[in-house]
Amino acid sequence: MSKLAAQRIQSNLDRLQLARVAEILDEEVKRATEEKMAYSEFLDRLLGEEISTRDVRRVKTALRLSNLPSEKTLENFDYTFQPTVDRARTMELGNLDFVRRRENVILLGPPGVGKTHLACALGVRACQAGMGVYFTSLTDLVKKLVVADRNPGVRSKGLGYVKAQVLIIDEVGYLPLERQHAHLFFQLVSRRYEQTSIVLTSNKTFTEWAQVLGDPVIATAILDRLLHHAHVINIRGNSYRLREKAKLVAAEAER
Ligand code: ADP
Ligand code: MG
């Protein structure tokens, strides 16, 4: 290849934004020559490399923008420890058809049973599938909604919660909401209803939501929309956080 041709190729790859091809071209040309590679195979290799590099980068960016606190997975959830969580059903949710159907997932149960873990794991799957994901606690979400409510028209960068295809709302019920804040929460749920998915975790039963949300009418209105198309996973079991402690106690008792 002439030096001129090589330069032109690099500058064209640059214009086409094929950064990965530009990076590996020399090496790949050398290899193709040595191995007497078919032209189609050569092209296939180059394009494949470009695409896979982009996929990796896209998932990384999606994970960063998602605000997900950790990269928990559906695979590293211990289903034998938590028998009320059905592995097959959870894996099925992991296929994300619920997002395509704009349905919600509600994870209920006492502290430490893996609600946040599973919600995050679904979020990670969605990021990998190229979906927009945003993770927030209800408390932080309400703070954002209050700011947005006071500054209508202000386009802040932190609007992930509005646009995300999958909005994960963690810890509904840990802190009670003021009535006015519950109303902002209602507006958000109502806006997303049948448009995009919500994955939500709560340590309170639906009947307790009336108290948590400060107003039974608003609680009912929120639940009405959330539950219309929803998969509810009710986890009843022991805290995973306390399992080591439980083991110690058991060992102590056997002595
Ligand atoms: P919750 O949100 O229900 O209070 P978390 O999801 O935060 O509980 O779980 C607490 C910790 O225990 C996390 O680090 C989580 O990854 C881990 N954990 C919980 N349940 C399981 C499980 N069944 N298998 C593996 N890790 C678990
Ligand atoms: Mg939690």
Side-chain angles (χ1 to χ4, degrees), residues 59 74-75 77 93 97 113 126 131 147 153 166 171 179 182 186 188 194 209 212 219 240 242:
V59 171
L74 294 178
E75 286 76 16
F77 190 82
L93 288 174
D97 282 333
V113 293
M131 296 167 172
V147 172
V166 183
E171 304 195 334
R179 198 178 167 281
F186 163 73
L188 176 81
E194 293 186 336
W209 278 36
V212 167
Y240 195 81
L242 299 179

Side-chain angles (χ1 to χ4, degrees), residues 72 76-78 82 110-117 174 240-241:
K72 304 277 176 180
N76 66 23
F77 190 82
D78 182 353
Q82 215 55 269
V113 293
K115 302 182 297 297
T116 304
H117 181 127
Y174 276 90
Y240 195 81
R241 290 192 193 98

Side-chain angles (χ1 to χ4, degrees), residues 127-154:
C127 286
Q128 287 165 344
M131 296 167 172
V133 177
Y134 192 79
F135 176 97
T136 175
S137 67
L138 179 62
T139 312
D140 284 347
L141 177 66
V142 163
K143 280 184 201 153
K144 288 208 169 88
L145 292 174
V146 168
V147 172
D149 188 50
R150 285 198 195 126
N151 306 284
V154 172

Side-chain angles (χ1 to χ4, degrees), residues 100-120:
R100 295 178 195 102
R101 290 195 294 254
R102 297 145 187 218
E103 297 163 350
N104 303 322
V105 174
I106 319 274
L107 295 145
L108 300 177
V113 293
K115 302 182 297 297
T116 304
H117 181 127
L118 290 173
C120 289

Side-chain angles (χ1 to χ4, degrees), residues 146-202:
V146 168
V147 172
D149 188 50
R150 285 198 195 126
N151 306 284
V154 172
R155 295 242 157 263
S156 81
K157 270 193 247 158
L159 284 181
Y161 66 89
V162 179
K163 291 189 222 123
Q165 230 172 322
V166 183
L167 175 63
I168 305 175
I169 307 174
D170 199 28
E171 304 195 334
V172 173
Y174 276 90
L175 296 172
L177 290 191
E178 284 170 33
R179 198 178 167 281
Q180 172 205 358
H181 294 169
H183 192 74
L184 291 174
F185 179 40
F186 163 73
Q187 285 179 330
L188 176 81
V189 170
S190 168
R191 225 183 302 149
R192 294 183 64 94
Y193 174 61
E194 293 186 336
Q195 304 295 324
T196 48
S197 295
I198 290 178
V199 174
L200 180 150
T201 81
S202 179

